[in-house]
Amino acid sequence: PVQPEGPFYPGETEFVADNDLTRVPGRTGTALGQVIYVKGVVSDLHCQPVPHANVEIWQACASGRYNHNFDPNPAPLDPNFRFWGETFTNERGEYSFKTILPGAYPAAEDWDRPPHIHFRIAKLGYKELITQMYFKGEPLNDMDKILTRVPRRMWDEIVVDFATNPADPTSRLGVFNISIEPV
């Protein structure tokens, strides 16, 4: 389902084609927080893979803060976290990112956003999609003013279950498949 872009989209000029958000070029440190891998397939409405689609993500760091001038959250920024990245799907429509579990953050006095990752998918000939991916088992999901607008029957499409990553047992792995609509 379509989800709002949110106020902290970093803008096109900020993106660098890199799918590893756990390291910042030129720095020796690594991002704080639980390392996660997100992978999936971008397909059309007929379940056919969409090769060469642009997939962008942006998110808060482990403390729940975005690297954006308008983020009022006083939590510390992680200088070793990239906050956004982009990649392109391969011939089979597959993409992947290495990142960290984002922190929850206050959106208003009576509302904390659950951990989530923003996605923007674009390809010529398809309608651009902006959505958000959430984490299964997160207690704040049931109170989120954005996620709860999505009918419960559709939550499996955007709430992802993460498990131990067989390739790296210290990290978690989740599959987030995305469908985009032709123009």
Side-chain angles (χ1 to χ4, degrees), residues 12-35:
E12 296 282 343
T13 60
E14 298 291 336
F15 281 100
V16 175
D18 190 350
N19 65 344
D20 183 352
L21 281 66
T22 65
R23 294 190 172 273
V24 174
R27 297 191 186 206
T28 57
T30 58
L32 300 172
Q34 171 67 59
V35 173

Side-chain angles (χ1 to χ4, degrees), residues 14-183:
E14 298 291 336
F15 281 100
V16 175
D18 190 350
N19 65 344
D20 183 352
L21 281 66
T22 65
R23 294 190 172 273
V24 174
R27 297 191 186 206
T28 57
T30 58
L32 300 172
Q34 171 67 59
V35 173
I36 62 170
Y37 290 83
V38 180
K39 69 177 188 173
V41 174
V42 174
S43 61
D44 65 18
L45 299 181
H46 301 288
C47 299
Q48 296 301 306
V50 178
H52 313 295
N54 178 246
V55 182
E56 300 175 358
I57 66 170
W58 64 100
Q59 68 177 81
C61 62
S63 71
R65 184 151 177 215
Y66 285 86
N67 188 9
H68 194 281
N69 292 339
F70 298 131
D71 186 355
N73 187 350
L77 286 172
D78 182 349
N80 296 309
F81 182 60
R82 289 187 58 102
F83 294 90
W84 52 79
E86 79 174 326
T87 192
F88 291 86
T89 58
N90 65 18
E91 293 298 326
R92 296 178 302 279
E94 300 166 330
Y95 76 90
S96 68
F97 285 97
K98 179 181 181 184
T99 185
I100 54 96
L101 177 68
Y105 62 87
E109 279 188 36
D110 63 339
W111 175 29
D112 285 343
R113 290 286 339 259
H116 61 280
I117 299 175
H118 299 263
F119 280 75
R120 178 180 174 263
I121 299 86
K123 180 169 180 176
L124 191 61
Y126 292 85
K127 293 180 182 178
E128 178 182 279
L129 173 67
I130 294 177
T131 191
Q132 296 178 33
M133 183 201 79
Y134 300 86
F135 296 83
K136 188 173 185 178
E138 171 55 51
L140 291 173
N141 287 348
D142 291 326
M143 298 170 275
D144 187 56
K145 294 179 181 182
I146 294 173
L147 178 57
T148 55
R149 290 183 200 150
V150 176
R152 281 281 182 166
R153 71 181 189 288
M154 297 177 76
W155 278 32
D156 285 345
E157 295 178 34
I158 56 175
V159 179
V160 175
D161 192 9
F162 278 73
T164 301
N165 183 354
D168 175 7
T170 64
S171 68
R172 312 277 292 160
L173 173 66
V175 177
F176 185 51
N177 294 320
I178 303 165
S179 293
I180 55 176
E181 187 177 349
V183 173

